Structure formats: C-alpha cells, structure tokens
Amino acid sequence: MSSGIVGEFFELKADSGADLLAMQMGDFYEFFGEDAEVVGEELDLKVSERSSGGEHYAMAGVPVDELTPYIKALAERGYRIAVADQRDEDGDIVREVVRIVTPGTLLETDRSDAQYLASVACDGEDAYGLAVCDVTTGRFRATTLSGADAAARALSELYRFDPVEVLPGPRVRSDDDFLASVRDELNARLTLHETEAFAPGRARHRLTEQFGDVPGTVGLSETAVAAAGAAIDYVEATGVGALASITRIGAYEPDDHVAVDATTQRNLEVTEPMTPGGRTLFGTIDHTETSAGGRLLKEWLTRPLRRAGTLETRHDAVDALLGDALVREGIAETLSEAYDVERAASRAVSGSADADALLRVRETLALVPDLGERIEGSPELADSPVAALFADLDRAAIADLRSELEALADDPPKTLHEGGLIERGYDEDLDELVARHEAALEFFETLEERETRRHGFSRVTVGRNKTDGYYVQVPKSETGSVPEEYEGIKTLKNAERYVFGELREKEREIFRLEEERGEREYEAFCRLRASVADRADLLGAVGRALAELDAYCSLATHAARQGWTRPELADERVLDIEAGRHPVVETETQFVPNDLYLDRERRFLLVTGPNMSGKSTYMRQAALVTLLAQVGSFVPADSARVGLVDGIYTRVGALDELAGGRSTFMVEMEELSNILHSATDESLVVLDEVGRGTATYDGISIAWAATEYLHNEVGAFALFATHYHELTSLAEELPRVENVHVAVAGEPEAEAGAEAGVGTETGTEGDAGAGSDDGVAFLRTIEPGPTDRSYGVHVADLAGVPAPVVDRAGEVLRRLREERAIEARGGDSGEPVQTVFDLGSGEFRDGAGRSEGGANGADVPGDDATEASDAARSTSDGGAVDPDTAAVVEEVRETSLAETSPVELMNRVREWQRRLDGE
Ligand code: ADP
C-alpha cells in the first residue's frame, strides 16, 4: 500500500469509484499510476515519474485553470473522472472529491446532439421503466414499456435517444442479453449506480424532492419512478450541480410513437449510414441553422408519431412556411444568429456559465421580436401554427431579461475576476469605483513624461508586469541621472528598473482598486447569471420555440427544393403513393418515380426483379414516405395518402451483415423473429430477402411460411423482395398477396408489371440486371449446405421465429424435397442432393459447388413464373412429371378445405381441369 501523497491519491480514487482521479496539488491537478498513463495516452500529456514511499509512480498533471477542457475530452471518450480539490483547513491541506464528471453529466459539452443520461429499471414482471435526462438542457422524460416484448421495446427506446451513459437498475444489470444489446447497439458508457437508488421508496422520495408531488400526477409507473429517481440520484451524486436546471419531468407514452426498432433505423439509414461515409435521411433533409433545431429534427425523425392532430399541425406549419419563401429565408437568416439558450440556461443554473454564454443569451433574446414581426407580418404565417409558437412566449419577460443583460460589456474578457465585464450605469457603487480606478491610472499614464522632465532623462519607460509590479525603466547610458529616491529592483542587459515611494503608494492604491473592482464586477455578473438561472423556464420555452421554428423551416426548405408534397393522413389502412421517390437517392441520381398502392385487400406485395433493378430502393421508399409523413414532413411524391402505422419494421439482405462479419443467418432469423412477434395489422413490414443466408430449400421454406404468417396471422402491410421466384405463386393462394416486378430492358410487355404499378421507365433500364454480372465478386457469399439438411429451419426455431412459422416451414421443406426427389430420380442419381443458391450467378449449385444446370432445384410447387425454371424444363428430358401437371397436383395438395369456400373450390377445380386438358 502506498503512503504519502500517492497513497492519498489511491485512497481517494478507490472511494470515488471513478475510472480516473484528478487530484489538486497546488497549481496543478495530478494523475498518478495507471491513471497518469491513461491520461498521457488519451490526451497526449507528458508523463513523468514520481517516487513516493520508495516506489516509483507515473505522474501527469494539468494546470488548475486548464482542467476543464481535459476532463471534458476524457468524459466525451466515456471515462468517469473524479475531481479532488484541496483546501486549507487551519493550516492543514485537506483534499476531497468534489465532483465526478461523467459522459452523461458533462455540462461543458460541445456535441451538437442531445446528451442523454438514461436509466433503466425492470420490475421482473415484464415492465421496464426508462428515464432520460439531458443535464445540458434540463430535459427529463420517463416512460414505461410493458408486455411480452418489453425488453426489445426498451432497447428500441434507448436506441432512439442514443444516450451517452446508461444506468442499468438492479435487475437489468444481471440481464446479460440486455446489456450485450446495449453494448452492441449504443455507444454509451454503462455505469453501475448504487442499487438502493432504484428502490421504489427512495426513488419516489427523490422525485418528490426534485419536482414536488409529480410522480403521482403525471401517472408514472412504479418502474418508471425507480428509473427516474435513480437518474436524479445519480446526477446529484456526481456533484455537477446540474439538478436545479431539471425543473420538469415529462411522462410520455411510447404508444404515441411509431415503433421503429434499432435495426430498422439502421436499415433505413435514418441518422446513421450503413456504410461509412454514406448519406443518411437526416443528412439529406437537414437544413437547420441552429444546433438545437438540428437536434429537434433528428429527434422527430427517430420518433415518428401516430397522433394525427400533432402531425397535421406540423404539416400546417411546413405548408405555411412553404408558401412564403421570402419570409422563410429571412427567418432562416435570423435563426443563424441564435445560440443554444436552453444549454446556456442550464449552465447558468449550475453556475458554470461565463460572460460569453450570457452575452449569447442576450443576443438570442434580441432575435425574438424580430422573428415575431416577420411571422406576424406574413399573411401565410400569421394564422399558422408557426405564429402559435411565438404567441405563447412571454414577450415582456423576454424584454426585461434582455434589458437587464444590457449591463454586460459587449466584449467581455474570458476571466471573471479581473473586471471589464460590466458596462457603466448598472451599479452606482461600481461606477464610482471605476472612476477612482481610472483617475489613479492617470498617474501612471503621465509618469513617463513627468520623470523625463524632472530628471532630465532623454528616454525612460513606465511599465508593469506580474513580478515587478509598476516600475520606471532607465537605459544604462542614463542611469547617472537617476535621483536618490529611485530604488533599483532589477538589472537588464541595457537598462535598470527602479521604483520609488510615491510610485509604490499609487501602485498599492491601484491594486486595491483593481481588486475591489474585480470583486464588485464579479458580484454584479453573478447577479446577472442568477437572473438568467431564475428564468431557466422562460429560456427553455424560447429555446424550444426557436428550435421548432428552425425544424419547420428546414422541412419547408427541403420540400421546396425537391418538390415534395403534403401527405394526406388517412384514418383507414391505406398507402397510396403516386410518383413516389426515394428521398436520398433522388438527390443523387435521375430518379424514376413509381407508384405504390396498398390497402386492406392488397396488403402484401412480392417484389421480384433482377439484382440492382431497384427492388430495395422501391421498398425503402415506401417505408421512408410513411416515416416522413408521420414525422410531420412533406414527402417525395406527387401525392401520398398514408394511413397511420404503429410500427415500421425492416430486414435487409444478408450481404450487409456478411460484410460486418456477423453470424449472418442467425442474425437474419432473429430479425425475422422480432418482426413476426412485434408487427401488427397496423404495421408496415419491409423484407428485403429472407432465407438467403441458408441452403435454398430451407430459405424458400422459411420465406414461404413467413409470408403466410404475415398474411394470415399478422395482417401487416408488407413488401417482400425475393429472388425465389417460387414464392410468386403465393399470390395465387393468398388473396391479399400481389406480385409486382421491376421491368427490365428488352422484356416483353409484362403482365405482372401492369397490375403491379412499379412503373419503371426506360431510364433505369441501363442499371437493371447489371448486378448479375457481378457474380464473381459475390461468389464468396455462397453458403455451403450443412450436413443437417434442415439446419435453416432449426436456426429459425432457435432464433425464436413463432412456432407456427417454423412448423409450416418444415412442411414446405418436406414438400420441396419430395418434388426434388421426383426431379432427381428423373435424373441420373437416386439420392437427393443438397443445393445452395449462388447469389451472384442466380444459379443453384450442389454442395460441392457444381452448377446444377438442368436438374433444377428451383422447381417447386406452383412455380410457373421463373424464367430459369422454364429454361430448365426445356432441357430436362428425363421423364419428370409434366411441370404443368405437377403444378396442379401441388395446388390440389395445398388447397385448404377449411379455408376455401365451396364456390371458390368449384372455380378452382374447373380451372385445374382446364389446365390438365392443356387449354
Ligand atoms: P435491388 O434491390 O433490386 O438489387 P437497388 O434498389 O439496390 O436494387 O437499386 C440498385 C441501384 O439502382 C441503386 O444504385 C439505386 O440507387 C438505383 N435505383 C433504384 N431505383 C431507382 C429509380 N427508381 N430511379 C433511379 N435509380 C434507381
């Protein structure tokens, strides 16, 4: 055990529970041992060595006034840093930890995003309480997620807030899966705060202390109270003093929001690109002028709503701003001068706001009347929700605060103790002090001239510095004329410095006045800062109004630039898009618009087409149009009618995860499982290939069963792109499934295309099919078939895909194998062969990598649409059952007597007879 100063360091550090300790020793904060090495490495600080008690320790230090930027940088990298200050107690130096700076409680942040600290509690019975708090703005919100998929919803919610620090409650911290997901999905520090803070009694008490009797009135559940109380407890324990800025707790219902899980947000590239450097939806549509506006827009995009009223209000606001381009541009220009007043207020409350921060508050408040006039003066805006934003602001209070802040000097110094902060006329005593100070300074201003004259010098200078104070400097050549009263204090190369009695006296006076003035100005500054802190609520309201205005302007600007239209929000289940575009792709290329129509009777589209033909873009576009409509934005289409959805779920092809090195098929199945469990008949589901990560038959079987399940049980709107043409026959069996396909150059007038509404014009045709030439590059994605032939279905089972889907996939698989066996017996081998699908060439191959050629593994029930299998049939002459007959037999086998009406049955039989007769 070390002793001495280093021993004290380690003791304090152990008690603090922090990752690093900065301990004050005189004018420096020091780090010792491993801490010194970490800090040296992270911040490029010089690491030296110190001996203590016969041992050597690494040591690194930063000057006392420079600590802030260093700990800020450390906290932003995820460290928790304890700061121990020293004080003099009756001659003894005592050190104690005064605060712990953590990623989620850092006030001095520069990040443009919200800086959320999240706390998660779980009651052990499928309810999760979630509280999120941004100490930089004082925002505090809490909610409860319950039900069978509560954990997944809690994770989605967390992902949406993207916290920098997460406090897992007692039950949550023993849930390895949950923690693993937090680690994987979020770039957040996990901090174990003391368990008692989550105890219901203590948590409630904390909240009552902070907000009064709020928990009872806003309807927070017990678990939400636990999470919220623990968050408050934690903020207080870190000692940052940010608590006072947290004045309101907002309970919110996650059900008001559209469920957009983490995977979907990533797949749709809402705020993060899938590939480094890629474009995001936010990056494309963000034209905000302020960081608060940008934060709000991002929050809107990650939290689409189901409340038609709020959405209509947002659409009205965008509409109004769209109608008056001139005023909109004027507003944007004014907003570009606005600062983040919410954050400034929060720092005023904690006492860490400097003069610059208050000056920015003053400048921003000055913009309010200007913006108000612009809005009220525009006929388009005067009656719109944009005007309402400002109508509720207390303009008189804003004017008062602003005029109080006029006391601040326009160009204040960085330090707060040396005067120069406050204008004259604010404080009479201060004015008098300043007058005396200035008069005293006059003595020194005229001293050079006086001394030159008096003593016959040709050249002397009067100066001042930290060590010598005021002095008279005489060149060496003239030191002979120096009078007796001059007292030499320093010899320089070519000159001597002197002081004398009167100079000393005046110097003392000046120092005293400076100190007094500095104190007085600092006091005045603190009063101004306190006024700002007292008005934290007002500034919060101003900040929110400006941010909202900024976000609306940004949406209107984008709509104007790209010709977006206002979506019509419908009460019924419908998605009707005319000439829709992909919001990001349309800005990068000559986009070919296309239509989309879904309603109760036509709610499942199977999208087929060659690689690179635009399937994926088409489906994402549907999801993004829906999302934008439910964010309150206009949408990229000539017209759009959008029935509000309760969730958007996507899963995209295996290729992306392969690139990321994740266990492809398991991940794919987990995502599918999540969708099948979570989606409802009011959701929109986008599946971009399912089953591709496993052997062909397993893949088809799972995709087949999943389609049936989504169609029959879930009833969600779904778009499903697949290269398994076998699935297109599902459209005949399932009444609400339709096929669409992307037209390809040179294709004969396509029957499916006409009904599909994927109107692809000649423009894209150059692209279509290009991807299939890339086969060689894709070859490594071939998954060799495993020995267990139903590996894929097993994995689906393991991944939690609902039992009916797994069972059904098993059935389809058996059927496919039977078909396959017939085919194979017709060929030269009696044994069925495991086949896999080569993503690149679009061909089936056997396990050894041989292309299957004629023996076509794709020949499954009801397949009468695949070009490849047509070609295969024409070359396969080995006595297989006539494919048309096989198709009919399969359909007979497939027909469910229980689900088919007698009339329908008669129709089908008639149709079969016709087909068997070769008509
Ligand atoms: P698929 O899913 O069929 O493989 P993608 O949707 O990935 O095809 O599209 C392939 C390429 O074509 C992409 O680069 C995309 O930007 C472009 N693209 C897709 N749809 C359109 C369209 N309607 N107009 C113009 N370019 C498009």
Side-chain angles (χ1 to χ4, degrees), residues 361-369 398 401-402 405 539 542:
V361 169
R362 182 176 88 190
E363 285 167 16
T364 306
L365 291 178
L367 305 176
V368 173
I398 291 172
L401 182 58
R402 188 182 142 203
L405 290 174
L539 291 172
V542 172

Side-chain angles (χ1 to χ4, degrees), residues 760-793:
T760 310
E761 295 165 15
T762 6
T764 43
E765 292 175 357
D767 274 353
S772 46
D773 295 339
D774 294 343
V776 195
F778 287 162
L779 270 181
R780 76 184 116 82
T781 67
I782 295 176
E783 298 268 323
T787 45
D788 179 349
R789 297 193 359 165
S790 49
Y791 161 85
V793 179

Side-chain angles (χ1 to χ4, degrees), residues 412-478:
K414 284 260 168 284
T415 53
L416 294 179
H417 294 276
E418 287 167 20
L421 294 171
I422 305 292
E423 291 285 346
R424 304 292 73 83
Y426 175 65
D427 174 342
E428 268 179 34
D429 293 347
L430 177 64
D431 288 355
E432 196 212 310
L433 203 58
V434 171
R436 275 164 48 212
H437 183 213
E438 278 166 7
L441 283 174
E442 250 178 58
F443 169 79
F444 287 101
E445 277 157 21
T446 53
L447 189 63
E448 251 173 48
E449 196 209 322
R450 192 189 87 175
E451 293 302 282
T452 309
R453 194 165 21 84
R454 266 198 195 166
H455 308 297
F457 296 126
S458 66
R459 185 164 51 91
V460 296
T461 47
V462 171
R464 172 182 175 170
N465 67 25
K466 266 214 169 96
T467 42
D468 302 334
Y470 282 99
Y471 54 81
V472 179
Q473 186 164 310
V474 182
K476 280 257 160 74
S477 56
E478 302 200 35

Side-chain angles (χ1 to χ4, degrees), residues 652-721:
V652 299
L655 297 176
D656 307 292
E657 283 104 33
L658 270 187
R662 296 163 78 191
S663 154
T664 324
F665 190 60
M666 188 68 184
V667 171
E668 180 182 337
M669 285 301 106
E670 279 170 2
E671 288 180 7
L672 178 67
S673 166
N674 178 36
I675 294 174
L676 296 180
H677 281 294
S678 316
T680 74
D681 63 347
E682 294 189 10
S683 310
L684 174 64
V685 174
V686 168
L687 299 171
D688 195 349
E689 297 290 358
V690 162
R692 209 164 172 169
T694 185
T696 311
Y697 284 0
D698 290 51
I700 297 176
S701 311
I702 293 165
W704 187 290
T707 305
E708 284 183 344
Y709 188 76
L710 276 169
H711 176 276
N712 297 336
E713 305 298 325
V714 178
F717 274 5
L719 292 158
F720 184 178

Side-chain angles (χ1 to χ4, degrees), residues 5-6 17 152 166 199 267 294 352 354 402 489 526 535 566 584 599 617 619 658-659 670 690 699 708 725 852 868 899:
I5 198 82
V6 180
V166 176
N267 288 343
S352 68
D354 57 11
R402 188 182 142 203
I489 53 161
C526 287
R535 292 299 171 82
R566 177 176 183 150
V584 179
D599 66 15
T617 308
M619 297 194 302
L658 270 187
E670 279 170 2
V690 162
E708 284 183 344
H725 283 271
E852 289 195 336
E899 282 174 21

